[in-house]
Amino acid sequence: MSWSDLNSTLPELALAVTALILLILEVVKEPPRAQFAWTALGGIALALVLEFALPIEGQFYNGMIALDHFSRFLNVIFMITAAGAVLIAVPYLRKSLEERGEYYALLLFATIGMMFMAKAHDLTILFLGLELLSIPLYILVGFYRHRVRSNEASLKYLLLGAFSTGFFLFGIALLYGSTGATHYDAIRQAIVSDGQLSPAMTLAGFGLLLVGFAFKVALVPFHMYAPDVYEGAPTAITAFLSTGPKVAGFAAFLKVIITSFAVTTQHWWGIVWVLAALTMTVGNVTAIRQDNLKRMLAFSSVAHAGYLAVAVLVGTYDSAFGMMFYLAVYAVTTLGAFGVVALIEGEEETSLEIDGYRGLARRSPFLAAIFTLAMVSLAGFPPTAGFLGKYFVFSAAVDTGNTWNIWLVVIAILNSLISVYYYLRPVVAMYMQEPADETPLPMSRVAVPVFLVLVLIVLGFGIFPMMLVKSGVAAAGSLF
Amino acid sequence: MTTILFYLFSALLLGAALFVVLNRNPIYSVVGLVFAFMNLAAMYFLLEAYFIGVLQVLVYAGAIMVLFLFVVMLLNVQPDRPHPGLIHPDRWWFGIMALIFVSLFLLLIGQGVRALLTSPAEDAAGMGSVADVGEALFTSFLLPFEIASLLLTVALIGTVFLAKKKV
């Protein structure tokens, strides 16, 4: 190990140290504990500075991690997501008197896991990153120990997650058995130069890997846990759950496919095609029937996983770029949408139904406007960045000229039309219906930065997308 | 000789694993799992990974399974009711899926075995001793080692947080 190895993991180290400090503070400090959130934010800011202060590129720790534009782009998304989750959590935890150091510490540990998933250039690190992301989430989902729903969600997530981890690990074992390697490049080498024990074993290993990824990003039919877990988890955690793991899972999925398995596309594209088509259709059609906003957004995130799977399937430079853009916009938008839900739901989650949103425009014009913006961007209307994300992904698929890809885009666009219905339902309720009671909603000032970033990214990058396009192009470029 | 032992232990391992899943009495299942872990340790020995094999016996078959047994006994789990059997009108699709899976899996195993028989096994010498494992762990696998330590910390925090009556 050399200094450059250590330097390559400095952002993660900063986050880990912050998390440990938070755990100590938890023991020492009596409530009220407003400093906890600020400590966590300070750690994230430090990690962000370190990420940019050390402009090193290349492979470290014997090629186990690779630092490039791709990992940097994603790490910035992860840190913004983590910071947003901390800010949303502040009013949320205070309301229920659960302001605890473990909460922020676990959030930071999960962020470290995501960062390693993006940096990983070896299946060992990918697996450990995935686990370091998953285990804190199992705990955080069950953070409200006195709520039965929260416990139920945590147990469901843990059991199914452990199962999918088993698949993932078995896949890695088969791949290692067949190719003799866990390093991404070495696996590709073995496949290209026919240095594998048995091609069928490699494909079986890849198939099991696919199951593990599909579970993490909730592709149909591996999405069964998503609605229950998203609904049962504390809303501030649902915000993190529906963005962070999904972005990290898709990023790692894309990188593994492009770096190691691009040459075997003809064997698996059919499976991913069906998964993508099923995921967006089931996600959107089921979301129509939901009255509970948390469940609706959960199915909406399933549907978005379907659109993103199109980008993975196509696997070209253009689609990788489209995916980077899409992931950045999706993460911020969904985080903001859940942030609004967390602020509106009230004590003990009373107003989660769509009726609770009636006349919200009069009770809290700011929140209503933010929520409308998020919904419009998720539905993919111009001039929001959500439209551009969809445009980049779908046009990359059409540009390949492949008939199957074009049909998939047709299905995706039909699905986007369906999704307009359920995205606009809360908007109609907020602006065109009478509120049940006229009392203005108390507004937490802490969460305002989250919403401002949302406005900046959704509208700013929707109208002037060049900056995000440039970094997205650079990120996609380092995969090829 | 090694090949014969490999098949012997594989057969025992699979048998023990099936015993764990199919048995309705949790205590028997746990004991079956101990036996499965023992066979797994034997596989490690056949690979000349002696240290890993010893750890497998000490940590998994020893410490962890004793913990399992304690938990099962403390909870006083009753043996499950006999289940309705695999062949049942409600389960036909399950049976078909299982059949497809098993036949695919056998096909795969067959392919792998054929490939193994045709290509010489790699020389595994020099990875078995404590010193070798330790050196690999702290040089080439340093980063996974450190991430795993973070992972264990998180698991510890989670266990204490979720299981303690009053935190």
Side-chain angles (χ1 to χ4, degrees):
Chain A
M1 197 191 92
S2 62
W3 281 110
S4 65
D5 281 343
L6 192 62
N7 283 342
S8 69
T9 45
L10 270 185
E12 287 85 352
L13 270 177
L15 287 183
V17 170
T18 316
L20 294 176
I21 291 175
L22 277 166
L23 287 174
I24 296 172
L25 280 181
E26 159 67 34
V27 180
V28 179
K29 181 87 175 65
E30 293 294 318
R33 293 151 153 174
Q35 298 94 323
F36 283 10
W38 301 118
T39 314
L41 282 180
I44 294 169
L46 180 64
L48 204 59
V49 169
L50 287 173
E51 184 73 43
F52 282 103
L54 299 160
I56 37 176
E57 301 209 346
Q59 298 192 352
F60 299 92
Y61 289 99
N62 299 313
M64 285 199 165
I65 56 173
L67 263 68
D68 44 28
H69 288 291
F70 177 78
S71 71
R72 180 158 304 142
F73 184 84
L74 285 158
N75 281 355
V76 172
I77 300 183
F78 296 149
M79 284 187 254
I80 290 176
T81 315
V86 168
L87 287 174
I88 293 174
V90 173
Y92 194 79
L93 293 181
R94 192 166 298 156
K95 179 175 73 184
S96 56
L97 300 175
E98 290 267 12
E99 214 168 15
R100 306 186 53 88
E102 289 99 340
Y103 186 94
Y104 301 111
L106 290 171
L107 211 57
L108 292 184
F109 280 125
T111 311
I112 300 172
M114 297 195 289
M115 288 164 73
F116 273 122
M117 280 174 79
K119 281 183 176 176
H121 211 70
D122 190 294
L123 291 176
T124 324
I125 302 292
L126 172 61
F127 173 72
L128 285 169
L130 187 68
E131 282 307 283
L132 190 54
L133 164 64
S134 303
I135 291 183
L137 285 178
Y138 302 145
I139 306 162
L140 286 172
V141 167
F143 197 78
Y144 282 173
R145 303 185 308 161
H146 56 277
R147 280 190 200 163
V148 182
R149 300 296 292 275
S150 185
N151 291 336
E152 181 201 340
S154 177
L155 192 64
K156 270 185 186 164
Y157 196 33
L158 171 72
L159 291 178
L160 289 172
F163 217 50
S164 86
T165 299
F167 277 104
F168 198 81
L169 204 53
F170 196 23
I172 294 178
L174 283 184
L175 282 174
Y176 182 69
S178 178
T179 62
T182 52
H183 192 263
Y184 291 179
D185 296 334
I187 291 176
R188 188 192 51 228
Q189 279 296 322
I191 295 174
V192 171
S193 65
D194 211 25
Q196 22 179 355
L197 198 58
S198 122
M201 200 160 141
T202 314
L203 281 179
F206 176 73
L208 292 172
L209 222 55
L210 185 69
V211 172
F213 276 125
F215 176 85
K216 258 314 136 210
V217 300
L219 292 180
V220 175
F222 305 102
H223 71 296
M224 295 298 187
Y225 74 97
D228 287 353
V229 171
Y230 285 19
E231 192 191 349
T235 310
I237 282 307
T238 314
F240 187 69
L241 197 61
S242 59
T243 51
K246 200 152 279 200
V247 176
F250 265 115
F253 195 15
L254 184 77
K255 186 169 174 179
V256 168
I257 277 198
I258 287 179
T259 344
S260 304
F261 295 100
V263 280
T264 58
T265 312
Q266 79 272 17
H267 294 297
W268 49 258
W269 74 267
I271 301 174
V272 180
W273 196 94
V274 173
L275 284 181
L278 265 182
T279 305
M280 45 192 155
T281 313
V282 171
N284 279 316
V285 172
T286 326
I288 292 180
R289 296 169 47 96
Q290 307 303 322
D291 285 328
N292 181 313
L293 259 283
K294 256 164 119 178
R295 277 187 96 83
M296 188 207 92
L297 283 172
F299 279 109
S300 131
S301 87
V302 170
H304 281 275
Y307 305 141
L308 284 161
V310 177
V312 175
L313 174 71
V314 174
T316 59
Y317 180 85
D318 287 342
S319 80
F321 151 69
M323 188 172 190
M324 292 299 109
F325 194 95
Y326 201 120
L327 285 177
V329 175
Y330 167 82
V332 175
T333 318
T334 308
L335 197 70
F338 273 114
V340 176
V341 174
L343 283 180
I344 293 176
E345 70 178 25
E347 310 242 333
E348 296 295 319
E349 310 197 350
T350 37
S351 53
L352 272 174
E353 302 292 314
I354 197 146
D355 288 343
Y357 286 72
R358 277 195 302 192
L360 190 74
R362 238 187 278 167
R363 296 173 65 199
S364 173
F366 178 69
L367 283 183
I370 294 291
F371 200 62
T372 307
L373 185 65
M375 290 298 111
V376 167
S377 176
L378 284 175
F381 282 119
T384 59
F387 165 73
L388 283 177
K390 272 191 183 143
Y391 171 76
F392 288 138
V393 168
F394 295 162
S395 70
V398 171
D399 283 345
T400 57
N402 182 322
T403 328
W404 286 98
N405 283 348
I406 293 173
W407 275 110
L408 195 57
V409 172
V410 171
I411 298 175
I413 289 173
L414 287 178
N415 269 303
S416 301
L417 292 178
I418 297 176
S419 74
V420 172
Y421 170 74
Y422 65 81
Y423 282 132
L424 291 189
R425 252 180 90 198
V427 177
V428 170
M430 285 189 300
Y431 282 94
M432 298 177 192
Q433 291 176 353
E434 294 298 316
D437 66 310
E438 298 267 351
T439 45
L441 269 177
M443 176 64 200
S444 160
R445 263 186 234 111
V446 189
V448 169
V450 182
F451 301 135
L452 291 183
V453 170
L454 180 135
V455 173
L456 185 77
I457 290 196
V458 168
L459 274 185
F461 288 154
I463 299 168
F464 306 106
M466 266 338 274
M467 208 178 106
L468 191 57
V469 168
K470 265 185 199 148
S471 16
V473 164
S478 45
L479 283 179
F480 288 89
Chain B
M1 183 60 194
T2 323
T3 323
I4 299 171
L5 281 178
F6 171 78
Y7 283 115
L8 179 71
F9 285 125
S10 308
L12 283 175
L13 179 57
L14 285 177
L18 279 176
F19 182 81
V20 174
V21 182
L22 295 178
N23 210 294
R24 311 306 294 177
N25 186 335
I27 302 270
Y28 291 171
S29 286
V30 172
V31 176
L33 201 53
V34 174
F35 187 61
F37 282 154
M38 291 291 188
N39 282 301
L40 203 58
M43 306 283 256
Y44 285 128
F45 284 122
L46 285 180
L47 287 169
E48 299 186 18
Y50 302 113
F51 180 55
I52 307 283
V54 171
L55 280 189
Q56 174 77 20
V57 174
L58 280 181
V59 176
Y60 282 94
I64 290 186
M65 289 323 291
V66 168
L67 209 64
F68 259 61
L69 211 55
F70 266 133
V71 171
V72 172
M73 286 178 167
L74 280 179
L75 290 177
N76 197 16
V77 185
Q78 296 303 318
D80 211 344
R81 275 173 287 123
H83 73 78
L86 283 176
I87 303 160
H88 188 269
D90 291 347
R91 291 176 180 258
W92 60 271
W93 54 270
F94 176 80
I96 290 172
M97 295 305 278
L99 206 67
I100 292 172
F101 181 77
V102 168
S103 45
L104 276 180
F105 200 73
L106 285 180
L107 206 72
L108 181 71
I109 299 268
Q111 270 228 352
V113 167
R114 205 166 47 214
L116 269 180
L117 291 179
T118 47
S119 69
E122 273 182 48
D123 186 16
M127 55 168 274
S129 73
V130 184
D132 292 330
V133 172
E135 202 187 320
L137 214 51
F138 284 100
T139 53
S140 29
F141 293 93
L142 179 67
L143 187 62
F145 181 74
E146 296 295 345
I147 302 178
S149 70
L150 270 189
L151 200 57
L152 289 178
T153 316
V154 172
L156 199 67
I157 300 166
T159 318
V160 173
F161 177 75
L162 289 180
K164 233 180 133 197
K165 269 221 178 67
K166 191 166 183 287
V167 274

